[in-house]
Amino acid sequence: MSMLRLKLPTDPRWVNIVEKNIEEILTDHAWCEQKAASNAISLIVMNSEHTDLVTDLLKIAKEEVEHFEMVHEIIKQRGLKLGRERKDDYVNELAQYMKRSITGSRISGLVERLLFSAMIEARSCERFKVLSENIQDEELSKFYWELMESEAGHYVTFLTYARKYGEGIDVDQRWKEWLEFEALVIAKYGKKETIHG
């Protein structure tokens, strides 16, 4: 996953924790997809003047809702239930960092929101890869491999638009700072049966 440039890889032993509670990881994953769809729609609402961004984020929002549906289908097929929405401490820490970094301009707000989105997609993509390569459940292994490829595409889209619309901002330098911060955050996780836990 070198293209993601993440500083800290997930310990594959995290999958052992996941396997003890498949219902929990599936519920958490479903809500991650729902939040990703909501995030894409929020970006559209706040930046509707950028036609190309709206077009591409509509595609992402649809894909994320489809993924939500796919996870829900697996939950139903296994006789499980979609639990209540879970709090995502990892994403909340990234959101706090984003809020502290916005300088007040619309451009700064857009770039930070896009980099925040890219960061979550990058880590989700990496987690899906770890799951696909280490989980004993063959159906889920194949499922997470397919989703990993989709999430990688979303990550690239968010980063591309941050660079395109980040006029006057050194987006590549800012992305390096995001990667450094994310490594500090993720170091505390990997102990729960959730996508970012």
Side-chain angles (χ1 to χ4, degrees), residues 2 45 47 62 77 82 94 99 123 128 134 138 166 177:
S2 58
V45 171
N47 303 281
K62 279 186 201 159
Q77 283 161 15
L82 175 64
L94 295 187
K99 284 178 191 143
R123 181 57 70 182
F128 290 168
N134 295 282
E138 278 183 30
E177 290 164 12

Side-chain angles (χ1 to χ4, degrees), residues 28-79:
D28 182 69
H29 178 195
W31 290 115
C32 285
E33 299 291 359
Q34 177 270 324
K35 287 172 200 159
S38 299
N39 180 56
I41 290 165
S42 294
L43 271 160
I44 289 168
V45 171
M46 293 185 290
N47 303 281
S48 55
E49 70 276 21
H50 300 308
T51 305
D52 52 354
L53 180 121
V54 171
T55 303
D56 285 340
L57 291 191
L58 277 169
K59 281 184 206 146
I60 287 180
K62 279 186 201 159
E63 272 184 36
E64 302 290 20
V65 169
E66 278 166 19
H67 293 168
F68 186 8
E69 187 178 17
M70 286 158 78
V71 182
H72 191 230
E73 282 305 316
I74 292 173
I75 289 170
K76 290 193 299 188
Q77 283 161 15
R78 292 176 177 227

Side-chain angles (χ1 to χ4, degrees), residues 4-12 14 17 28 32 88-95 97 119-128 130 177-192 194-197:
L4 298 173
R5 290 169 55 202
L6 295 170
K7 304 279 180 203
L8 191 66
T10 295
D11 186 331
W14 164 70
I17 299 166
D28 182 69
C32 285
D88 193 325
D89 294 323
Y90 164 82
V91 169
N92 290 339
E93 285 196 55
L94 295 187
Y97 181 66
M119 195 74 259
I120 297 166
E121 295 286 352
R123 181 57 70 182
S124 300
C125 183
E126 189 259 359
R127 285 281 168 105
F128 290 168
V130 172
E177 290 164 12
W178 265 98
L179 288 163
E180 296 289 345
F181 177 75
E182 195 270 351
L184 298 174
V185 172
I186 203 69
K188 298 181 279 187
Y189 296 92
K191 301 170 188 78
K192 286 189 347 205
T194 56
I195 296 295
H196 303 121

